[in-house]
Amino acid sequence: MFIDIPSELEAVLIDRSRSLPPWELDGSFLAQSTMERYRTELTATPRFEETAATLRHALTGEGGGYAVLRLGNLSKALGIGDRFLRLATGFAAEVAAPFSPFPRWPLWKDIGVKVDKDPGKSSGIGYNAFHMDLVNATLPPDFTTLLCVRPDPLGGGPSILSDAHAAVARLPEDCRAVLAESAYHYGTFFDLFGVGEEYKPFPILDGSDPGAGFVRFTAKMLERSQLGQAHTDAARELDEELVRGQVSFMLQPGDFLIVNQRRFLHGRQALHSGQETVPVADRRLLLQLFLRAGTGDGSAA
């Protein structure tokens, strides 16, 4: 769902952004005092609460799971600097508690383009297959977000999303049974905050209710993890269903994509060829922020 900011709200937010203080962190989480201050300032603006309610419903209401908050006019007026990022953080805090699981990174993490990187990585130039972030953590972020600073100037790299539970529901029962077995593993786990412990091995279908819980999937496990044939085949079937049900769109400057990881998986189509000819300062750039539902102690709601 794409959510436009009412023009009268945009005008007030541009001015109100001056009143938002620098954020403080409590461990890896945005401090409760900062969230309360932001909420006090922002809810005093006309139509903010209405917009925030629309955002929350798009993410957690029936049939929902992702939203793109269109902050382009605000980014044009303010630039992608402290004032704008405080506004974006304030909107995010209306959904859940912002935090950074990576102590070596700031609250908002840069995702640029590196032509010499593994093409399938988030900062690579190739197809970034469907996945959930921090798939091998016992408490992965409930929401992952991407704020577009610059799209690919050559026109590639549309975002892709797919309803994970809808894809699972289309699979045969025997396939779902295999996906529910704790036989999957992917990646490493070190120096992380607020995401629990390493989960290895893990089931892809993580929860007794087939329509709830995480679908712990990353297509990269199909090539980079040693899996038995039955588990590989089941995961491949799921990947095919995710692709079959995907939606795709280009993020524009200021677009703020928020994904409910308990419902949707995300990825990216390949960037356009010729990235090596684009100056680094002009390449696609996203900022990533993670959100935890419930309290700021890392427990999910």
Side-chain angles (χ1 to χ4, degrees):
M1 180 178 183
F2 287 78
I3 302 174
D4 292 308
I5 307 298
S7 58
E8 61 267 40
L9 176 56
E10 287 179 333
V12 178
L13 286 177
I14 290 170
D15 182 65
R16 187 56 61 92
S17 66
R18 302 177 189 275
S19 302
L20 297 179
W23 58 68
E24 295 182 358
L25 298 181
D26 181 4
S28 59
F29 284 81
L30 186 67
Q32 185 67 32
S33 58
T34 299
M35 287 193 284
E36 291 173 355
R37 175 69 184 276
Y38 284 10
R39 185 155 219 283
T40 297
E41 293 289 340
L42 295 175
T43 54
T45 62
R47 302 192 67 180
F48 176 82
E49 287 192 283
E50 171 191 334
T51 303
T54 299
L55 175 62
R56 288 190 294 268
H57 181 75
L59 293 168
T60 62
E62 184 176 356
Y66 76 91
V68 178
L69 197 59
R70 313 216 79 165
L71 305 179
N73 289 338
L74 293 172
S75 70
K76 288 178 184 177
L78 298 172
I80 308 292
D82 290 343
R83 287 172 60 189
F84 176 76
L85 287 180
R86 290 170 195 166
L87 281 176
T89 304
F91 272 108
E94 290 295 306
V95 175
F99 78 108
S100 173
F102 309 106
R104 61 190 179 280
W105 296 101
L107 187 64
W108 290 85
K109 174 188 174 185
D110 288 9
I111 301 180
V113 173
K114 300 178 181 178
V115 296
D116 56 350
K117 191 87 171 179
D118 180 341
K121 294 287 190 179
S122 58
S123 58
I125 63 176
Y127 174 63
N128 187 11
F130 279 114
H131 64 281
M132 68 171 290
D133 290 327
L134 282 298
V135 66
N136 60 336
T138 55
L139 290 173
D142 295 289
F143 300 88
T144 185
T145 84
L146 294 168
L147 176 62
C148 181
V149 178
R150 290 187 301 272
D152 177 7
L154 301 181
S159 297
I160 54 175
L161 293 105
S162 193
D163 185 329
H165 290 289
V168 169
R170 293 192 295 269
L171 296 173
E173 185 176 349
D174 59 342
C175 181
R176 295 198 299 268
V178 173
L179 295 174
E181 296 175 0
S182 295
Y184 295 91
H185 53 93
Y186 175 77
T188 58
F189 188 94
F190 63 94
D191 200 18
L192 297 173
F193 287 161
V195 293
E197 301 174 351
E198 183 174 15
Y199 197 2
K200 178 182 178 180
F202 55 82
I204 288 179
L205 303 187
D206 190 10
S208 57
D209 184 348
F214 290 111
V215 176
R216 291 179 175 274
F217 180 77
T218 173
K220 296 167 189 167
M221 69 172 66
L222 293 169
E223 296 180 355
R224 302 177 189 179
S225 300
Q226 295 296 318
L227 303 173
Q229 191 62 50
H231 296 101
T232 297
D233 291 344
R236 198 173 299 281
E237 284 191 58
L238 174 56
D239 186 44
E240 291 171 357
E241 286 299 332
L242 289 166
V243 172
R244 187 172 291 116
Q246 78 179 30
V247 295
S248 175
F249 48 81
M250 288 290 295
L251 293 175
Q252 300 302 319
D255 280 353
F256 188 21
L257 169 63
I258 305 178
V259 181
N260 183 341
Q261 292 215 117
R262 292 182 179 273
R263 299 190 180 187
F264 271 71
L265 301 178
H266 67 285
R268 181 205 66 231
Q269 298 284 11
L271 303 184
H272 198 283
S273 60
Q275 292 296 314
E276 66 280 354
T277 68
V278 179
V280 173
D282 295 333
R283 291 175 183 168
R284 184 178 190 259
L285 176 62
L286 305 178
L287 301 179
Q288 186 170 43
L289 176 70
F290 296 99
L291 308 177
R292 166 74 64 220
T295 60
D297 61 4
S299 61

